[in-house]
Coordinates of all heavy atoms in Angstrom, one line a residue:
L458 N 368.8 -155.2 40.8 CA 368.3 -156.5 40.7 C 369.2 -157.3 39.8 O 369.6 -158.6 40.2 CB 366.9 -156.6 40.0 CG 366.3 -157.9 39.7 CD1 366.1 -158.7 41.0 CD2 365.0 -157.8 38.9
N531 N 368.4 -172.6 49.2 CA 366.9 -172.3 49.0 C 366.8 -170.8 49.0 O 365.9 -170.2 48.3 CB 366.1 -172.9 50.1 CG 366.2 -174.5 50.0 OD1 366.3 -175.0 48.8 ND2 366.1 -175.2 51.0
L532 N 367.5 -170.1 49.9 CA 367.5 -168.7 50.0 C 367.8 -168.0 48.7 O 367.1 -167.0 48.1 CB 368.3 -168.3 51.1 CG 368.3 -166.5 51.1 CD1 366.9 -166.0 51.6 CD2 369.3 -166.2 52.4
D534 N 367.8 -169.4 45.6 CA 366.8 -169.7 44.6 C 365.6 -168.8 44.8 O 364.9 -168.4 43.8 CB 366.5 -171.1 44.6 CG 367.6 -172.0 44.2 OD1 368.5 -171.5 43.6 OD2 367.6 -173.2 44.7
A535 N 365.2 -168.4 46.1 CA 363.9 -167.6 46.2 C 364.1 -166.1 46.1 O 363.1 -165.3 46.0 CB 363.4 -167.9 47.7
I536 N 365.4 -165.6 46.0 CA 365.7 -164.2 45.9 C 365.1 -163.5 44.7 O 364.4 -162.5 44.8 CB 367.1 -163.9 46.1 CG1 367.5 -164.0 47.6 CG2 367.5 -162.5 45.7 CD1 369.1 -163.8 47.8
P537 N 365.3 -164.1 43.4 CA 364.8 -163.5 42.3 C 363.3 -163.3 42.3 O 362.7 -162.3 41.9 CB 365.2 -164.4 41.1 CG 366.4 -165.1 41.6 CD 366.1 -165.2 43.1
G538 N 362.5 -164.2 42.7 CA 361.1 -164.2 42.8 C 360.6 -163.2 43.7 O 359.7 -162.4 43.5
Y539 N 361.3 -163.0 44.9 CA 360.9 -162.1 45.9 C 361.2 -160.7 45.4 O 360.4 -159.8 45.6 CB 361.7 -162.2 47.2 CG 361.3 -163.5 47.9 CD1 362.2 -164.1 48.8 CD2 360.0 -164.0 47.9 CE1 361.9 -165.3 49.4 CE2 359.7 -165.2 48.6 CZ 360.6 -165.8 49.4 OH 360.3 -167.0 50.0
V540 N 362.3 -160.4 44.6 CA 362.6 -159.1 44.1 C 361.6 -158.8 43.1 O 361.2 -157.6 43.0 CB 364.1 -159.2 43.6 CG1 364.4 -157.9 42.7 CG2 365.0 -159.3 44.7
R541 N 361.2 -159.6 42.2 CA 360.4 -159.3 41.2 C 358.9 -158.9 41.7 O 358.2 -158.0 41.3 CB 360.1 -160.7 40.1 CG 361.2 -160.8 39.2 CD 360.9 -161.7 38.1 NE 360.6 -163.1 38.5 CZ 361.5 -164.0 38.6 NH1 362.7 -163.7 38.2 NH2 361.2 -165.1 39.2
T542 N 358.5 -159.7 42.7 CA 357.2 -159.5 43.4 C 357.2 -158.1 44.1 O 356.3 -157.2 43.9 CB 356.9 -160.5 44.4 OG1 356.9 -161.8 43.7 CG2 355.5 -160.3 45.0
A543 N 358.3 -157.8 44.7 CA 358.4 -156.5 45.5 C 358.5 -155.4 44.4 O 357.9 -154.3 44.8 CB 359.7 -156.5 46.4
T544 N 359.2 -155.5 43.3 CA 359.4 -154.4 42.4 C 357.9 -154.2 41.7 O 357.6 -153.1 41.5 CB 360.4 -154.8 41.3 OG1 361.7 -155.2 41.9 CG2 360.5 -153.8 40.3
A545 N 357.3 -155.3 41.4 CA 356.0 -155.1 40.8 C 355.0 -154.4 41.6 O 354.3 -153.4 41.1 CB 355.4 -156.5 40.4

Side-chain angles (χ1 to χ4, degrees):
L458 178 60
N531 294 337
L532 177 61
D534 294 339
I536 283 175
Y539 293 152
V540 172
R541 285 195 296 269
T542 303
T544 303

